[in-house]
Amino acid sequence: MSDQRATAAGEMNQSYGFQPVGDGEKQGRVNEVFHKVAQRYDVMNDLMSAGLHRVWKNAMVAALNPPRSRAFAHLDVAGGTGDIAFRVIEASDGLAQSTVLDINGSMLEVGRDRAAKRNLLNNCTFVEANAESLPFSDRSFDAYTVAFGIRNVPHIDVALKEAFRVLKPGGRFLCLEFSEVDLPFLEQVYEAWSFKAIPPIGKLVTGDGEPYQYLVESIRKFPNQENFATMIRTAGFERVSYRNYSGGIAALHSGWKL
């Protein structure tokens, strides 16, 4: 389904999955999806990745390699439930201060509860805000991460420019996202699983299959690895690279503010 993929930033803000929508309509519809799935977020990701999202997230944090000898200011965008932030804090031996930003209050509520249970509230700040208009000063963070969230942002190019703005010189951008499979046989199996199995299973598990239909469509709509890397460079980042996981089912993109 490569022909479904966006190739330019403007194509994403006018699509809700495969459905065309007006500019300004997508955000509200995406918000409703995540209000519905917030309490079953782990189930959602397990369905979307057959459980591999946990391995990929660990690899993302290993690539970030937060320092264990100094303070480290980390911003995790679209990370309401805390999955990445908690890993970064633990990988830094508790020295990292993670700001978890999400536009969806239901997701943030789940994250706060999880942080409290893990005794990490002293290392976490939870902020309800839009990735396209970050409420932070220029040069505030050492690292910006976003995992499986950038494709839900209507104006991805704007969000990338905001990421560049709030990073300190020498700061790193890391984005983990579902991407384009580069193995023909695996692509066929993954397409069948995504469109034939995930929405019905999502409905069985959560009572509503529509959010899962959007999510699998949004994955196929998101720009492929090379096109997304070009968008990151256009935002000002240098030394842009990506690494495929599981044959391209997911990809980790990296860029530096130099």
Side-chain angles (χ1 to χ4, degrees):
M1 287 195 175
S2 296
D3 58 336
Q4 296 279 5
R5 292 192 180 275
T7 58
E11 296 176 44
M12 291 297 290
N13 67 307
Q14 296 183 350
S15 68
Y16 174 78
F18 293 159
Q19 300 175 39
V21 296
D23 194 10
E25 184 181 346
K26 178 177 179 176
Q27 189 66 71
R29 297 185 68 174
V30 170
N31 287 350
E32 185 60 28
V33 166
F34 284 93
H35 283 306
K36 290 179 179 179
V37 304
Q39 296 298 326
R40 297 295 187 98
Y41 182 71
D42 282 341
V43 174
M44 179 189 76
N45 279 334
D46 283 333
L47 288 176
M48 303 295 285
S49 70
L52 286 170
H53 72 100
R54 303 171 191 273
V55 176
W56 300 334
K57 288 173 180 175
N58 288 340
M60 180 188 199
V61 174
L64 180 62
N65 191 25
R68 300 182 179 184
S69 58
R70 61 174 177 84
F72 187 73
H74 165 235
L75 173 63
D76 188 45
V77 171
T81 61
D83 275 2
I84 299 300
F86 301 159
R87 284 171 167 83
V88 169
I89 292 166
E90 290 166 356
S92 73
D93 289 341
L95 289 179
Q97 289 293 323
S98 288
T99 299
V100 180
L101 182 139
D102 205 297
I103 199 170
N104 191 288
S106 298
M107 298 287 280
L108 289 167
E109 184 178 345
V110 172
R112 288 190 191 95
D113 289 344
R114 289 180 174 179
K117 290 175 182 177
R118 297 174 72 152
N119 296 316
L120 293 176
L121 284 176
N122 288 336
N123 292 85
C124 286
T125 302
F126 292 86
V127 177
E128 186 171 345
N130 193 322
E132 297 176 12
S133 182
L134 298 175
F136 310 115
S137 301
D138 297 357
R139 303 180 179 185
S140 295
F141 296 98
D142 296 295
Y144 175 119
T145 59
V146 54
F148 306 118
I150 196 76
R151 74 182 188 280
N152 299 310
V153 176
H155 301 91
I156 295 173
D157 55 336
V158 176
L160 291 172
K161 290 176 182 176
E162 278 290 271
F164 188 83
R165 179 184 68 80
V166 302
L167 279 171
K168 300 175 183 178
R172 191 175 187 187
F173 169 86
L174 282 176
C175 176
L176 178 64
E177 188 55 87
F178 291 109
S179 199
E180 186 172 64
V181 178
D182 59 6
L183 301 173
F185 174 73
L186 178 60
E187 181 180 19
Q188 294 173 10
V189 173
Y190 186 54
E191 292 287 343
W193 168 253
S194 297
F195 287 94
K196 302 297 185 182
I198 289 176
I201 294 173
K203 184 175 182 179
L204 181 66
V205 172
T206 69
D208 189 352
E210 192 278 332
Y212 294 86
Q213 186 67 36
Y214 158 72
L215 289 166
V216 296
E217 290 179 1
S218 70
I219 289 170
R220 296 310 178 278
K221 191 69 178 177
F222 188 71
N224 68 16
Q225 290 90 326
E226 287 291 343
N227 286 331
F228 186 50
T230 296
M231 294 175 67
I232 297 169
R233 293 187 188 97
T234 299
F237 290 99
E238 299 182 41
R239 292 169 55 188
V240 174
S241 63
Y242 63 84
R243 176 182 299 174
N244 283 338
Y245 295 144
S246 304
I249 292 176
L252 178 66
H253 280 79
S254 171
W256 296 84
K257 181 176 180 176
L258 300 177

